[in-house]
Amino acid sequence: MNPAGPGRTLAALAVIAVAALAAFWTATSGFRVLTSESARRLSVSRQPLALPSARLADGRELTAAIRDDGRVVLVDFIYTQCESLCTALGTDYQQLQREIQRRGLGDRVRLLSLSFDPDRDDAATLARHQARLRADPALWQASTVPDVAQRARLLAAFGIVVVPDGRGDFVHNAAIHVVDAQGRLRGIHDLGRWPSALADALEAN
């Protein structure tokens, strides 16, 4: 029996453990990232993502319109027939609108809701939807991207997954996205985290 054997084994295990810990540290950006979505959010906060070209229903190119306007935009993705996540987003945006108005931030930040259901969400339908939410057109607009390929690229850039449910509606995820005045995605915030989204927008301004 070699008495040094167990010691060598423990030392080898310790080396393996340290190497695994180091690899995990690197892969998770210092343990701050444990999912691919978290990694994506951290990435865009560090390095804003240029958005693909997408033309809105009124003919404007999205990022050009943002740059021309000069305000930071908080963007969400909805469809007007939705009664779950989109309702929660609507509530968040109502609170954002009130806070922007209360603090006189309308010259720095605005809101944009983009529908991924252009077949049903035409201009008139979106206008009725905005009226129900008491959206101030100067602060909160709604539109859609009619072109299928452009819409798919835009959803992918924002990390929005939309799957038809077979009953005419959609299963999808939801978040509040901060797009800076250069038309770059620089922040992603969960439902209910509208105060942090607004703070992030103000930092980007």
Side-chain angles (χ1 to χ4, degrees), residues 127-150:
R128 288 193 297 270
H129 177 74
Q130 292 296 93
R132 285 195 299 271
L133 294 173
R134 298 184 179 179
D136 177 353
L139 293 179
W140 181 4
Q141 299 174 344
S143 189
T144 188
V145 176
D147 184 88
V148 174
Q150 290 182 4

Side-chain angles (χ1 to χ4, degrees), residues 4 8 17 25 30 33 36 43 63 71 79 87 113 118-119 122 127 134 144 151-152 159 166 174 200:
R8 284 198 297 268
W25 172 276
V33 175
S36 59
S43 176
T63 53
R71 289 181 286 180
Y79 70 106
T87 301
S113 294
D119 292 339
D122 58 16
R134 298 184 179 179
T144 188
R151 187 167 66 250
D200 193 0

Side-chain angles (χ1 to χ4, degrees), residues 146-163:
D147 184 88
V148 174
Q150 290 182 4
R151 187 167 66 250
R153 288 193 294 269
L154 192 66
L155 290 170
F158 278 93
I160 297 297
V161 178
V162 178
V163 180

